[in-house]
Amino acid sequence: MKEPEFGEKPEYLVKYIEEFKKRYGEEPLIVDRPSGDMRMWKKYNVIYPVGGGVFIHATNISPRGIGYATYTVIEPPRPPPQLLRAIEEVLALKIKPEHVAESAEEKKKILLTLLDEILVPSEKPVDYSRVKTSNSRIQANQADIDYIKYHLIRDKIGVGILEPFLRDPYLEDISAKGVGNIYIVHKIFGSMETNIGFTSEEELDEFIIRLGEKIGKPISRARPVVDATLPDGSRINIVYGTDVSLFGSNFTIRKVAKTPISVTQLIKWGTFNEYAAAYMWIMLSEGMSAFICGETASGKTTALNALAVFIRPNNKIVSIEDTAEVVLPHPNWVRELTRDTGKPESSVTMFDLLRAALRQRPNYIIVGEIRGAEGNIAFQAMQTGHPVLSTFHAANLERLLQRLTNQPINVPKTNLDNLNIAWFQSSVYDKRGMLVRRMISINEIIGYDPKTDSIAAIPVFTWDPVADVHRFSGRGSSYLLEEKIAVMRGISRRDIKLIYDELELRARFLRNLVEKNILDYFDVYKAVVKTYELGLDEAYGRLIKGELLK
């Protein structure tokens, strides 16, 4: 079994670079990976590898006049269709019942083994216009064999033309609006148009139907809207047919990072500061309930994953999602997903899983996103002593309270103080004109005021858009720190300064992690665990000496 090999600078990449330079007079810069400082470049023209012989060319010097920079996928050349058809016919004859495999890796191994049996390297150039099969073997040019393997693995095991996008760790969104090119949102270069797409409605519909079968979510005109998870964990929404989408079938993929972004990385990027993170560290370690709120693509799930490291390492956590996006480092983590079969009697909803979670004695319940009636159950969980951490689609506190108290969630106003913290996040433009994510405010929910029939809440952190800094306005007046946390710890009013001193120490601990460039998600978790094992003061001392993670 021989894996395809292409080298650092294969022939097809060299040819592409030569043609681009000839057309635009500038040679692309080849890099191992795009760096964060490239966001500031007014002009960029870079090529980087994403593995498996695939390269990405990102540039804004060859625009098509539609306001988009270009994202070009450079793949190994595709062999002639008649050759691929002949190979597929032989494969169909050679595949036996014992070749059935569960995982993608096992399927890949079987396919490569069969291809090594089928393909015979030829010393003379092969004329593919007349493909001949002899004893289930096919001759092919030596140089083409790895190209054949790449495309058959991509199409049979992977997700076809989407595979290069899923390989690229720098993508956030991938979307096809219908016939035409696919568009992406790049973490560094922003919105871009790709060179990959669909030329007809028939091609697009056929691709979507095959994709639905591959991911176990059949799509039809009777069931034209599907939410699913791709093999790499990314979530996809598909709308099929012209009946419900006037421009034809479309899909949008939200990519999920295999390793979550750490809280220290978000501090370094300015999403929030170390004091906001230290505040949430205290709150989550003491079992406060919080909703991470914001609009679409504001980074809610990213923030939730990052902040979840502050939940005590010995807590039992149950996560409930309809698409797997929550990633936790905790050893006692129960992960549950909804099941949509299209039939109420066999489907399992968020409501069902949340109700079941209450019987599993969790220390924390994490809900991927609260949208409907499960929100009422979440508040019942909080009321019975089960803290809940969740994301919620609301741009500000007023909208959050409106959605919680109206259909379909219907939480009584008198119960809203079971939610302790409302964190709001948004995508905004900074002074440089770059789209960034910022925590806009952290609000403490105090309770219901019957005199005014309103909910009392205090913003303890706010973002100053002019200076692009986060300000802590809760020092000396935080309801949760003084009336909840201090009381739970037996700290008297006279010694209330101790709680703010602890906040300061935790903030310094996190700032030191950032300064020491400890940005890996699991390294940050290990550092947090050390504070429980050694005590915060001792752990901070070792961190200063550079001995904490040794």
PDB file of all heavy atoms in Angstrom, residues 13-44:
ATOM      1  N   LEU A  13       2.511  22.479  -9.310  1.00  0.00           N
ATOM      2  CA  LEU A  13       2.597  23.748  -8.592  1.00  0.00           C
ATOM      3  C   LEU A  13       3.558  24.701  -9.315  1.00  0.00           C
ATOM      4  O   LEU A  13       3.248  25.895  -9.477  1.00  0.00           O
ATOM      5  CB  LEU A  13       3.064  23.512  -7.160  1.00  0.00           C
ATOM      6  CG  LEU A  13       3.305  24.775  -6.308  1.00  0.00           C
ATOM      7  CD1 LEU A  13       2.010  25.564  -6.150  1.00  0.00           C
ATOM      8  CD2 LEU A  13       3.886  24.419  -4.941  1.00  0.00           C
ATOM      9  N   VAL A  14       4.695  24.176  -9.756  1.00  0.00           N
ATOM     10  CA  VAL A  14       5.670  24.994 -10.491  1.00  0.00           C
ATOM     11  C   VAL A  14       5.021  25.563 -11.752  1.00  0.00           C
ATOM     12  O   VAL A  14       5.185  26.757 -12.071  1.00  0.00           O
ATOM     13  CB  VAL A  14       6.917  24.160 -10.847  1.00  0.00           C
ATOM     14  CG1 VAL A  14       7.851  24.939 -11.769  1.00  0.00           C
ATOM     15  CG2 VAL A  14       7.647  23.740  -9.577  1.00  0.00           C
ATOM     16  N   LYS A  15       4.267  24.729 -12.458  1.00  0.00           N
ATOM     17  CA  LYS A  15       3.594  25.169 -13.688  1.00  0.00           C
ATOM     18  C   LYS A  15       2.575  26.261 -13.384  1.00  0.00           C
ATOM     19  O   LYS A  15       2.485  27.265 -14.109  1.00  0.00           O
ATOM     20  CB  LYS A  15       2.907  23.965 -14.338  1.00  0.00           C
ATOM     21  CG  LYS A  15       2.281  24.279 -15.678  1.00  0.00           C
ATOM     22  CD  LYS A  15       1.660  23.029 -16.293  1.00  0.00           C
ATOM     23  CE  LYS A  15       0.985  23.363 -17.617  1.00  0.00           C
ATOM     24  NZ  LYS A  15       0.311  22.173 -18.206  1.00  0.00           N
ATOM     25  N   TYR A  16       1.822  26.096 -12.281  1.00  0.00           N
ATOM     26  CA  TYR A  16       0.827  27.116 -11.910  1.00  0.00           C
ATOM     27  C   TYR A  16       1.504  28.450 -11.611  1.00  0.00           C
ATOM     28  O   TYR A  16       1.049  29.510 -12.065  1.00  0.00           O
ATOM     29  CB  TYR A  16       0.037  26.652 -10.682  1.00  0.00           C
ATOM     30  CG  TYR A  16      -0.895  27.716 -10.140  1.00  0.00           C
ATOM     31  CD1 TYR A  16      -2.178  27.865 -10.642  1.00  0.00           C
ATOM     32  CD2 TYR A  16      -0.459  28.602  -9.147  1.00  0.00           C
ATOM     33  CE1 TYR A  16      -3.023  28.869 -10.173  1.00  0.00           C
ATOM     34  CE2 TYR A  16      -1.296  29.602  -8.671  1.00  0.00           C
ATOM     35  CZ  TYR A  16      -2.571  29.725  -9.176  1.00  0.00           C
ATOM     36  OH  TYR A  16      -3.400  30.722  -8.713  1.00  0.00           O
ATOM     37  N   ILE A  17       2.610  28.408 -10.859  1.00  0.00           N
ATOM     38  CA  ILE A  17       3.326  29.631 -10.481  1.00  0.00           C
ATOM     39  C   ILE A  17       3.862  30.334 -11.728  1.00  0.00           C
ATOM     40  O   ILE A  17       3.769  31.570 -11.853  1.00  0.00           O
ATOM     41  CB  ILE A  17       4.467  29.307  -9.491  1.00  0.00           C
ATOM     42  CG1 ILE A  17       3.882  28.868  -8.145  1.00  0.00           C
ATOM     43  CG2 ILE A  17       5.389  30.512  -9.300  1.00  0.00           C
ATOM     44  CD1 ILE A  17       4.905  28.333  -7.166  1.00  0.00           C
ATOM     45  N   GLU A  18       4.417  29.575 -12.666  1.00  0.00           N
ATOM     46  CA  GLU A  18       4.947  30.159 -13.897  1.00  0.00           C
ATOM     47  C   GLU A  18       3.846  30.856 -14.695  1.00  0.00           C
ATOM     48  O   GLU A  18       4.045  31.975 -15.208  1.00  0.00           O
ATOM     49  CB  GLU A  18       5.607  29.068 -14.749  1.00  0.00           C
ATOM     50  CG  GLU A  18       6.924  28.567 -14.171  1.00  0.00           C
ATOM     51  CD  GLU A  18       7.466  27.370 -14.934  1.00  0.00           C
ATOM     52  OE1 GLU A  18       6.740  26.839 -15.815  1.00  0.00           O
ATOM     53  OE2 GLU A  18       8.605  26.947 -14.638  1.00  0.00           O
ATOM     54  N   GLU A  19       2.679  30.218 -14.778  1.00  0.00           N
ATOM     55  CA  GLU A  19       1.568  30.815 -15.534  1.00  0.00           C
ATOM     56  C   GLU A  19       1.048  32.070 -14.847  1.00  0.00           C
ATOM     57  O   GLU A  19       0.713  33.063 -15.512  1.00  0.00           O
ATOM     58  CB  GLU A  19       0.441  29.788 -15.696  1.00  0.00           C
ATOM     59  CG  GLU A  19       0.798  28.649 -16.648  1.00  0.00           C
ATOM     60  CD  GLU A  19      -0.280  27.583 -16.710  1.00  0.00           C
ATOM     61  OE1 GLU A  19      -1.270  27.686 -15.926  1.00  0.00           O
ATOM     62  OE2 GLU A  19      -0.147  26.649 -17.519  1.00  0.00           O
ATOM     63  N   PHE A  20       0.998  32.059 -13.514  1.00  0.00           N
ATOM     64  CA  PHE A  20       0.516  33.235 -12.784  1.00  0.00           C
ATOM     65  C   PHE A  20       1.487  34.404 -12.969  1.00  0.00           C
ATOM     66  O   PHE A  20       1.068  35.550 -13.214  1.00  0.00           O
ATOM     67  CB  PHE A  20       0.355  32.913 -11.298  1.00  0.00           C
ATOM     68  CG  PHE A  20      -0.236  34.044 -10.494  1.00  0.00           C
ATOM     69  CD1 PHE A  20      -1.610  34.174 -10.370  1.00  0.00           C
ATOM     70  CD2 PHE A  20       0.590  34.992  -9.893  1.00  0.00           C
ATOM     71  CE1 PHE A  20      -2.160  35.229  -9.650  1.00  0.00           C
ATOM     72  CE2 PHE A  20       0.050  36.046  -9.172  1.00  0.00           C
ATOM     73  CZ  PHE A  20      -1.329  36.166  -9.050  1.00  0.00           C
ATOM     74  N   LYS A  21       2.788  34.114 -12.851  1.00  0.00           N
ATOM     75  CA  LYS A  21       3.793  35.168 -13.004  1.00  0.00           C
ATOM     76  C   LYS A  21       3.759  35.758 -14.411  1.00  0.00           C
ATOM     77  O   LYS A  21       3.901  36.974 -14.606  1.00  0.00           O
ATOM     78  CB  LYS A  21       5.175  34.602 -12.698  1.00  0.00           C
ATOM     79  CG  LYS A  21       6.271  35.659 -12.709  1.00  0.00           C
ATOM     80  CD  LYS A  21       7.616  35.051 -12.373  1.00  0.00           C
ATOM     81  CE  LYS A  21       8.705  36.127 -12.416  1.00  0.00           C
ATOM     82  NZ  LYS A  21      10.045  35.547 -12.134  1.00  0.00           N
ATOM     83  N   LYS A  22       3.546  34.915 -15.383  1.00  0.00           N
ATOM     84  CA  LYS A  22       3.482  35.362 -16.775  1.00  0.00           C
ATOM     85  C   LYS A  22       2.297  36.299 -16.991  1.00  0.00           C
ATOM     86  O   LYS A  22       2.385  37.289 -17.716  1.00  0.00           O
ATOM     87  CB  LYS A  22       3.342  34.120 -17.670  1.00  0.00           C
ATOM     88  CG  LYS A  22       3.613  34.375 -19.130  1.00  0.00           C
ATOM     89  CD  LYS A  22       3.592  33.041 -19.860  1.00  0.00           C
ATOM     90  CE  LYS A  22       3.959  33.239 -21.325  1.00  0.00           C
ATOM     91  NZ  LYS A  22       3.952  31.965 -22.062  1.00  0.00           N
ATOM     92  N   ARG A  23       1.184  36.020 -16.285  1.00  0.00           N
ATOM     93  CA  ARG A  23      -0.041  36.803 -16.483  1.00  0.00           C
ATOM     94  C   ARG A  23      -0.044  38.098 -15.678  1.00  0.00           C
ATOM     95  O   ARG A  23      -0.494  39.132 -16.155  1.00  0.00           O
ATOM     96  CB  ARG A  23      -1.251  35.952 -16.102  1.00  0.00           C
ATOM     97  CG  ARG A  23      -2.572  36.634 -16.376  1.00  0.00           C
ATOM     98  CD  ARG A  23      -3.714  35.683 -16.127  1.00  0.00           C
ATOM     99  NE  ARG A  23      -4.992  36.324 -16.390  1.00  0.00           N
ATOM    100  CZ  ARG A  23      -6.170  35.754 -16.179  1.00  0.00           C
ATOM    101  NH1 ARG A  23      -6.218  34.510 -15.696  1.00  0.00           N
ATOM    102  NH2 ARG A  23      -7.286  36.386 -16.444  1.00  0.00           N
ATOM    103  N   TYR A  24       0.471  38.031 -14.440  1.00  0.00           N
ATOM    104  CA  TYR A  24       0.372  39.188 -13.540  1.00  0.00           C
ATOM    105  C   TYR A  24       1.707  39.849 -13.216  1.00  0.00           C
ATOM    106  O   TYR A  24       1.735  40.883 -12.551  1.00  0.00           O
ATOM    107  CB  TYR A  24      -0.327  38.786 -12.229  1.00  0.00           C
ATOM    108  CG  TYR A  24      -1.755  38.378 -12.443  1.00  0.00           C
ATOM    109  CD1 TYR A  24      -2.101  37.028 -12.493  1.00  0.00           C
ATOM    110  CD2 TYR A  24      -2.760  39.328 -12.615  1.00  0.00           C
ATOM    111  CE1 TYR A  24      -3.417  36.640 -12.698  1.00  0.00           C
ATOM    112  CE2 TYR A  24      -4.070  38.951 -12.825  1.00  0.00           C
ATOM    113  CZ  TYR A  24      -4.395  37.607 -12.863  1.00  0.00           C
ATOM    114  OH  TYR A  24      -5.694  37.224 -13.082  1.00  0.00           O
ATOM    115  N   GLY A  25       2.815  39.245 -13.672  1.00  0.00           N
ATOM    116  CA  GLY A  25       4.116  39.861 -13.479  1.00  0.00           C
ATOM    117  C   GLY A  25       4.657  39.772 -12.068  1.00  0.00           C
ATOM    118  O   GLY A  25       5.595  40.488 -11.724  1.00  0.00           O
ATOM    119  N   GLU A  26       4.071  38.937 -11.245  1.00  0.00           N
ATOM    120  CA  GLU A  26       4.532  38.806  -9.863  1.00  0.00           C
ATOM    121  C   GLU A  26       4.446  37.349  -9.437  1.00  0.00           C
ATOM    122  O   GLU A  26       3.436  36.684  -9.663  1.00  0.00           O
ATOM    123  CB  GLU A  26       3.684  39.673  -8.932  1.00  0.00           C
ATOM    124  CG  GLU A  26       4.176  39.662  -7.493  1.00  0.00           C
ATOM    125  CD  GLU A  26       3.422  40.651  -6.617  1.00  0.00           C
ATOM    126  OE1 GLU A  26       3.030  41.715  -7.135  1.00  0.00           O
ATOM    127  OE2 GLU A  26       3.220  40.354  -5.428  1.00  0.00           O
ATOM    128  N   GLU A  27       5.499  36.874  -8.799  1.00  0.00           N
ATOM    129  CA  GLU A  27       5.528  35.478  -8.356  1.00  0.00           C
ATOM    130  C   GLU A  27       4.986  35.379  -6.934  1.00  0.00           C
ATOM    131  O   GLU A  27       5.375  36.155  -6.057  1.00  0.00           O
ATOM    132  CB  GLU A  27       6.959  34.949  -8.402  1.00  0.00           C
ATOM    133  CG  GLU A  27       7.054  33.458  -8.087  1.00  0.00           C
ATOM    134  CD  GLU A  27       8.446  32.899  -8.358  1.00  0.00           C
ATOM    135  OE1 GLU A  27       9.015  33.237  -9.415  1.00  0.00           O
ATOM    136  OE2 GLU A  27       8.939  32.133  -7.503  1.00  0.00           O
ATOM    137  N   PRO A  28       4.067  34.430  -6.673  1.00  0.00           N
ATOM    138  CA  PRO A  28       3.534  34.270  -5.308  1.00  0.00           C
ATOM    139  C   PRO A  28       4.626  33.880  -4.322  1.00  0.00           C
ATOM    140  O   PRO A  28       5.586  33.189  -4.671  1.00  0.00           O
ATOM    141  CB  PRO A  28       2.498  33.153  -5.458  1.00  0.00           C
ATOM    142  CG  PRO A  28       2.176  33.095  -6.913  1.00  0.00           C
ATOM    143  CD  PRO A  28       3.439  33.501  -7.619  1.00  0.00           C
ATOM    144  N   LEU A  29       4.466  34.326  -3.083  1.00  0.00           N
ATOM    145  CA  LEU A  29       5.369  33.958  -1.994  1.00  0.00           C
ATOM    146  C   LEU A  29       4.903  32.619  -1.414  1.00  0.00           C
ATOM    147  O   LEU A  29       3.747  32.480  -1.003  1.00  0.00           O
ATOM    148  CB  LEU A  29       5.346  35.042  -0.917  1.00  0.00           C
ATOM    149  CG  LEU A  29       6.098  34.750   0.388  1.00  0.00           C
ATOM    150  CD1 LEU A  29       7.599  34.702   0.136  1.00  0.00           C
ATOM    151  CD2 LEU A  29       5.755  35.791   1.450  1.00  0.00           C
ATOM    152  N   ILE A  30       5.786  31.618  -1.370  1.00  0.00           N
ATOM    153  CA  ILE A  30       5.433  30.308  -0.807  1.00  0.00           C
ATOM    154  C   ILE A  30       5.789  30.307   0.678  1.00  0.00           C
ATOM    155  O   ILE A  30       6.940  30.577   1.044  1.00  0.00           O
ATOM    156  CB  ILE A  30       6.151  29.163  -1.544  1.00  0.00           C
ATOM    157  CG1 ILE A  30       5.742  29.144  -3.028  1.00  0.00           C
ATOM    158  CG2 ILE A  30       5.819  27.822  -0.895  1.00  0.00           C
ATOM    159  CD1 ILE A  30       6.437  28.085  -3.849  1.00  0.00           C
ATOM    160  N   VAL A  31       4.817  30.022   1.529  1.00  0.00           N
ATOM    161  CA  VAL A  31       5.028  30.003   2.983  1.00  0.00           C
ATOM    162  C   VAL A  31       4.512  28.684   3.544  1.00  0.00           C
ATOM    163  O   VAL A  31       3.681  28.010   2.924  1.00  0.00           O
ATOM    164  CB  VAL A  31       4.305  31.193   3.669  1.00  0.00           C
ATOM    165  CG1 VAL A  31       4.875  32.515   3.203  1.00  0.00           C
ATOM    166  CG2 VAL A  31       2.797  31.140   3.424  1.00  0.00           C
ATOM    167  N   ASP A  32       5.012  28.309   4.714  1.00  0.00           N
ATOM    168  CA  ASP A  32       4.528  27.093   5.375  1.00  0.00           C
ATOM    169  C   ASP A  32       3.086  27.266   5.843  1.00  0.00           C
ATOM    170  O   ASP A  32       2.290  26.337   5.797  1.00  0.00           O
ATOM    171  CB  ASP A  32       5.409  26.738   6.572  1.00  0.00           C
ATOM    172  CG  ASP A  32       6.785  26.256   6.150  1.00  0.00           C
ATOM    173  OD1 ASP A  32       6.894  25.741   5.020  1.00  0.00           O
ATOM    174  OD2 ASP A  32       7.736  26.406   6.927  1.00  0.00           O
ATOM    175  N   ARG A  33       2.793  28.485   6.319  1.00  0.00           N
ATOM    176  CA  ARG A  33       1.447  28.805   6.791  1.00  0.00           C
ATOM    177  C   ARG A  33       1.274  30.316   6.787  1.00  0.00           C
ATOM    178  O   ARG A  33       2.242  31.052   7.001  1.00  0.00           O
ATOM    179  CB  ARG A  33       1.223  28.237   8.204  1.00  0.00           C
ATOM    180  CG  ARG A  33       2.126  28.805   9.262  1.00  0.00           C
ATOM    181  CD  ARG A  33       1.901  28.148  10.606  1.00  0.00           C
ATOM    182  NE  ARG A  33       2.306  26.752  10.593  1.00  0.00           N
ATOM    183  CZ  ARG A  33       3.558  26.347  10.806  1.00  0.00           C
ATOM    184  NH1 ARG A  33       4.515  27.238  11.029  1.00  0.00           N
ATOM    185  NH2 ARG A  33       3.865  25.077  10.798  1.00  0.00           N
ATOM    186  N   PRO A  34       0.068  30.795   6.562  1.00  0.00           N
ATOM    187  CA  PRO A  34      -0.157  32.246   6.626  1.00  0.00           C
ATOM    188  C   PRO A  34      -0.097  32.716   8.074  1.00  0.00           C
ATOM    189  O   PRO A  34      -0.624  32.058   8.968  1.00  0.00           O
ATOM    190  CB  PRO A  34      -1.558  32.419   6.031  1.00  0.00           C
ATOM    191  CG  PRO A  34      -2.221  31.102   6.216  1.00  0.00           C
ATOM    192  CD  PRO A  34      -1.143  30.067   6.174  1.00  0.00           C
ATOM    193  N   SER A  35       0.553  33.834   8.315  1.00  0.00           N
ATOM    194  CA  SER A  35       0.707  34.339   9.680  1.00  0.00           C
ATOM    195  C   SER A  35      -0.291  35.459   9.964  1.00  0.00           C
ATOM    196  O   SER A  35      -0.818  36.090   9.039  1.00  0.00           O
ATOM    197  CB  SER A  35       2.129  34.852   9.893  1.00  0.00           C
ATOM    198  OG  SER A  35       2.424  35.885   8.970  1.00  0.00           O
ATOM    199  N   GLY A  36      -0.527  35.688  11.250  1.00  0.00           N
ATOM    200  CA  GLY A  36      -1.516  36.681  11.660  1.00  0.00           C
ATOM    201  C   GLY A  36      -1.197  38.078  11.176  1.00  0.00           C
ATOM    202  O   GLY A  36      -2.109  38.866  10.892  1.00  0.00           O
ATOM    203  N   ASP A  37       0.114  38.424  11.027  1.00  0.00           N
ATOM    204  CA  ASP A  37       0.453  39.786  10.604  1.00  0.00           C
ATOM    205  C   ASP A  37       0.083  40.050   9.144  1.00  0.00           C
ATOM    206  O   ASP A  37       0.055  41.198   8.703  1.00  0.00           O
ATOM    207  CB  ASP A  37       1.946  40.071  10.836  1.00  0.00           C
ATOM    208  CG  ASP A  37       2.854  39.157  10.028  1.00  0.00           C
ATOM    209  OD1 ASP A  37       2.386  38.116   9.551  1.00  0.00           O
ATOM    210  OD2 ASP A  37       4.046  39.494   9.879  1.00  0.00           O
ATOM    211  N   MET A  38      -0.228  38.981   8.387  1.00  0.00           N
ATOM    212  CA  MET A  38      -0.654  39.167   6.997  1.00  0.00           C
ATOM    213  C   MET A  38      -1.995  39.882   6.904  1.00  0.00           C
ATOM    214  O   MET A  38      -2.351  40.407   5.850  1.00  0.00           O
ATOM    215  CB  MET A  38      -0.713  37.817   6.271  1.00  0.00           C
ATOM    216  CG  MET A  38       0.644  37.190   6.019  1.00  0.00           C
ATOM    217  SD  MET A  38       0.515  35.606   5.147  1.00  0.00           S
ATOM    218  CE  MET A  38       2.239  35.100   5.101  1.00  0.00           C
ATOM    219  N   ARG A  39      -2.748  39.890   8.015  1.00  0.00           N
ATOM    220  CA  ARG A  39      -4.012  40.630   8.025  1.00  0.00           C
ATOM    221  C   ARG A  39      -3.789  42.108   7.720  1.00  0.00           C
ATOM    222  O   ARG A  39      -4.682  42.785   7.218  1.00  0.00           O
ATOM    223  CB  ARG A  39      -4.677  40.515   9.399  1.00  0.00           C
ATOM    224  CG  ARG A  39      -5.106  39.127   9.787  1.00  0.00           C
ATOM    225  CD  ARG A  39      -5.752  39.135  11.152  1.00  0.00           C
ATOM    226  NE  ARG A  39      -6.076  37.789  11.589  1.00  0.00           N
ATOM    227  CZ  ARG A  39      -6.688  37.499  12.724  1.00  0.00           C
ATOM    228  NH1 ARG A  39      -7.033  38.473  13.532  1.00  0.00           N
ATOM    229  NH2 ARG A  39      -6.950  36.248  13.052  1.00  0.00           N
ATOM    230  N   MET A  40      -2.613  42.607   8.073  1.00  0.00           N
ATOM    231  CA  MET A  40      -2.310  44.024   7.916  1.00  0.00           C
ATOM    232  C   MET A  40      -1.759  44.366   6.528  1.00  0.00           C
ATOM    233  O   MET A  40      -1.605  45.531   6.193  1.00  0.00           O
ATOM    234  CB  MET A  40      -1.293  44.456   8.980  1.00  0.00           C
ATOM    235  CG  MET A  40      -1.713  44.150  10.407  1.00  0.00           C
ATOM    236  SD  MET A  40      -3.276  44.936  10.815  1.00  0.00           S
ATOM    237  CE  MET A  40      -2.826  46.648  10.662  1.00  0.00           C
ATOM    238  N   TRP A  41      -1.449  43.345   5.738  1.00  0.00           N
ATOM    239  CA  TRP A  41      -0.877  43.594   4.415  1.00  0.00           C
ATOM    240  C   TRP A  41      -1.946  44.155   3.476  1.00  0.00           C
ATOM    241  O   TRP A  41      -3.019  43.578   3.331  1.00  0.00           O
ATOM    242  CB  TRP A  41      -0.312  42.317   3.815  1.00  0.00           C
ATOM    243  CG  TRP A  41       0.879  41.757   4.533  1.00  0.00           C
ATOM    244  CD1 TRP A  41       1.406  42.191   5.715  1.00  0.00           C
ATOM    245  CD2 TRP A  41       1.675  40.645   4.116  1.00  0.00           C
ATOM    246  NE1 TRP A  41       2.488  41.425   6.067  1.00  0.00           N
ATOM    247  CE2 TRP A  41       2.678  40.461   5.098  1.00  0.00           C
ATOM    248  CE3 TRP A  41       1.652  39.790   3.027  1.00  0.00           C
ATOM    249  CZ2 TRP A  41       3.637  39.457   5.012  1.00  0.00           C
ATOM    250  CZ3 TRP A  41       2.593  38.790   2.932  1.00  0.00           C
ATOM    251  CH2 TRP A  41       3.585  38.631   3.915  1.00  0.00           C
ATOM    252  N   LYS A  42      -1.644  45.272   2.848  1.00  0.00           N
ATOM    253  CA  LYS A  42      -2.589  45.825   1.870  1.00  0.00           C
ATOM    254  C   LYS A  42      -2.626  44.968   0.608  1.00  0.00           C
ATOM    255  O   LYS A  42      -3.644  44.843  -0.047  1.00  0.00           O
ATOM    256  CB  LYS A  42      -2.200  47.261   1.519  1.00  0.00           C
ATOM    257  CG  LYS A  42      -2.452  48.249   2.652  1.00  0.00           C
ATOM    258  CD  LYS A  42      -2.168  49.666   2.199  1.00  0.00           C
ATOM    259  CE  LYS A  42      -2.485  50.636   3.331  1.00  0.00           C
ATOM    260  NZ  LYS A  42      -2.204  52.042   2.945  1.00  0.00           N
ATOM    261  N   LYS A  43      -1.472  44.392   0.274  1.00  0.00           N
ATOM    262  CA  LYS A  43      -1.384  43.515  -0.892  1.00  0.00           C
ATOM    263  C   LYS A  43      -0.789  42.183  -0.448  1.00  0.00           C
ATOM    264  O   LYS A  43       0.224  42.161   0.249  1.00  0.00           O
ATOM    265  CB  LYS A  43      -0.504  44.150  -1.967  1.00  0.00           C
ATOM    266  CG  LYS A  43      -0.500  43.375  -3.281  1.00  0.00           C
ATOM    267  CD  LYS A  43       0.250  44.113  -4.377  1.00  0.00           C
ATOM    268  CE  LYS A  43       1.739  43.975  -4.206  1.00  0.00           C
ATOM    269  NZ  LYS A  43       2.502  44.470  -5.362  1.00  0.00           N
ATOM    270  N   TYR A  44      -1.438  41.103  -0.793  1.00  0.00           N
ATOM    271  CA  TYR A  44      -0.899  39.785  -0.441  1.00  0.00           C
ATOM    272  C   TYR A  44      -1.008  38.848  -1.639  1.00  0.00           C
ATOM    273  O   TYR A  44      -1.913  38.952  -2.476  1.00  0.00           O
ATOM    274  CB  TYR A  44      -1.624  39.194   0.780  1.00  0.00           C
ATOM    275  CG  TYR A  44      -3.125  39.125   0.673  1.00  0.00           C
ATOM    276  CD1 TYR A  44      -3.756  38.025   0.091  1.00  0.00           C
ATOM    277  CD2 TYR A  44      -3.920  40.155   1.155  1.00  0.00           C
ATOM    278  CE1 TYR A  44      -5.125  37.955  -0.007  1.00  0.00           C
ATOM    279  CE2 TYR A  44      -5.303  40.096   1.048  1.00  0.00           C
ATOM    280  CZ  TYR A  44      -5.897  38.994   0.478  1.00  0.00           C
ATOM    281  OH  TYR A  44      -7.262  38.930   0.372  1.00  0.00           O
TER     282      TYR A  44
END
